[in-house]
């Protein structure tokens, strides 16, 4: 008797969150990566699932692995169980964050040549060529890292409001830090994207993802496609190719 195919769950384990997505019904569970609710994750999973996971921290992976084993859900870890299908033009591939190439894989599947901007805890700007070569990219502070850094070294200044509307010229201390942090971060991203586009072998699509992507698109002078679930899409591409190969 033929068995029913397992249902796909993808887990994007970042520095701040564990973002879990069911691909059969679109349901989602987002947990704090520092202190994930193991019981909630266990309840989210079902024995007929298969989980493809991208994890950048050992703690998040430890919790995920334990709950998958408890529920009898097979784990396929990107970079360990499923290798990167892109050609890596990268000097130190062993230290390349798996989330960077998984996002690049999804962007390449959709657009071919692309510059991928991930606005997460860190800001990464990566280039993948039309032939599927991952050319590398920059890693810079995320927007909240700017806020944390300001608080650490200039504690007398107001705490920046990341949802405030930037004003030019700012005419109060609060407006000054709000505008400086948000537009300064946007300027950093614009400069990195411009450099990646200049380094690309031809015209490239800019794709933005991550928790601060909407802030970037709201305030930066960039034309980019917003793909919130880029890592989940990349994991789904890996899952499809993995099933075909097996």
């Amino acid at each position: 008797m033929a068995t029913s195919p397992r249902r796909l769950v993808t887990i994007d384990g970042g520095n701040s969150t564990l973002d879990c997505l069911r691909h059969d019904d679109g349901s989602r569970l987002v947990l704090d990566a520092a202190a994930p609710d193991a019981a909630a994750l266990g309840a989210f999973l079902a024995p007929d699932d298969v989980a493809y996971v991208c994890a950048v921290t050992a703690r998040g992976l430890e919790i995920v692995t334990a709950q998958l084993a408890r529920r009898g859900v097979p784990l396929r870890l990107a970079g360990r169980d499923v290798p990167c299908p892109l050609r890596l033009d990268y000097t130190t591939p062993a230290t390349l964050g798996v989330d960077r190439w998984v996002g690049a894989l999804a962007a390449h599947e959709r657009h071919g040549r692309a510059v991928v901007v991930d606005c997460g805890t860190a800001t990464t700007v990566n280039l993948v060529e039309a032939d599927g070569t991952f050319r590398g990219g920059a890693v810079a502070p995320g927007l909240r890292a700017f806020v944390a850094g300001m608080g650490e070294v200039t504690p007398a200044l107001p705490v920046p409001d990341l949802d405030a509307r930037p004003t030019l010229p700012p005419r109060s201390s609060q407006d000054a830090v709000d505008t400086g942090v948000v537009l300064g971060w946007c300027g950093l991203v614009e400069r990195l994207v411009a450099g990646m586009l200049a380094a690309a072998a031809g015209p490239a699509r800019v794709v933005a993802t991550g928790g601060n992507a909407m802030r970037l698109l709201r305030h930066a002078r960039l034309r980019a496609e917003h793909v919130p679930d880029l890592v989940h899409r990349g994991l789904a591409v890996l899952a499809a190719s993995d099933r075909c190969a097996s």
Side-chain angles (χ1 to χ4, degrees):
M1 179 182 296
T3 58
S4 299
R6 289 183 175 272
R7 299 181 300 175
L8 177 62
V9 173
T10 55
I11 301 177
D12 177 6
N15 289 292
S16 301
T17 62
L18 293 177
D19 186 356
C20 312
L21 178 66
R22 302 195 64 88
H23 288 252
D24 56 339
D25 62 9
S27 59
R28 190 177 216 123
L29 175 68
V30 181
L31 301 173
D32 182 352
D37 185 338
L41 178 58
F44 183 77
L45 300 168
D48 58 347
D49 293 337
V50 59
Y52 281 73
V53 179
C54 170
V56 299
T57 66
R59 175 60 177 162
L61 180 58
E62 179 184 338
I63 294 293
V64 167
T65 300
Q67 287 303 313
L68 292 174
R70 187 168 289 118
R71 296 288 282 165
V73 176
L75 164 65
R76 302 290 287 165
L77 184 63
R80 185 192 70 186
D81 305 316
V82 191
C84 176
L86 301 173
R87 188 175 79 84
L88 298 178
D89 181 16
Y90 201 74
T91 305
T92 56
T95 62
L96 174 63
V98 65
D99 55 329
R100 293 173 62 191
W101 66 255
V102 170
L105 174 64
H108 177 261
E109 182 81 3
R110 185 177 178 89
H111 296 298
R113 184 181 296 110
V115 172
V116 182
V117 184
D118 192 334
C119 308
T121 306
T123 302
T124 63
V125 183
N126 301 298
L127 170 62
V128 59
E129 293 286 4
D131 66 355
T133 299
F134 181 88
R135 294 274 308 281
V139 180
L143 183 52
R144 295 190 184 280
F146 272 70
V147 175
M150 290 273 289
E152 180 70 23
V153 300
T154 56
L157 289 176
V159 175
D161 178 358
L162 300 183
D163 292 316
R165 184 180 181 85
T167 58
L168 291 172
R171 299 183 63 204
S172 72
S173 295
Q174 185 67 59
D175 287 347
V177 295
D178 294 345
T179 300
V181 167
V182 173
L183 292 190
W185 173 71
C186 288
L188 176 153
V189 177
E190 290 170 5
R191 177 66 182 84
L192 291 174
V193 169
M196 295 300 174
L197 290 172
R205 178 67 65 93
V206 180
V207 177
T209 192
N212 284 308
M214 286 305 299
R215 288 189 175 99
L216 176 71
L217 298 180
R218 189 179 304 125
H219 300 299
R221 294 170 293 187
L222 283 177
R223 298 188 64 180
E225 177 186 4
H226 182 209
V227 184
D229 293 332
L230 191 68
V231 169
H232 289 289
R233 294 189 185 194
L235 289 170
V237 172
L238 282 182
S241 63
D242 193 33
R243 283 197 293 269
C244 290
S246 59

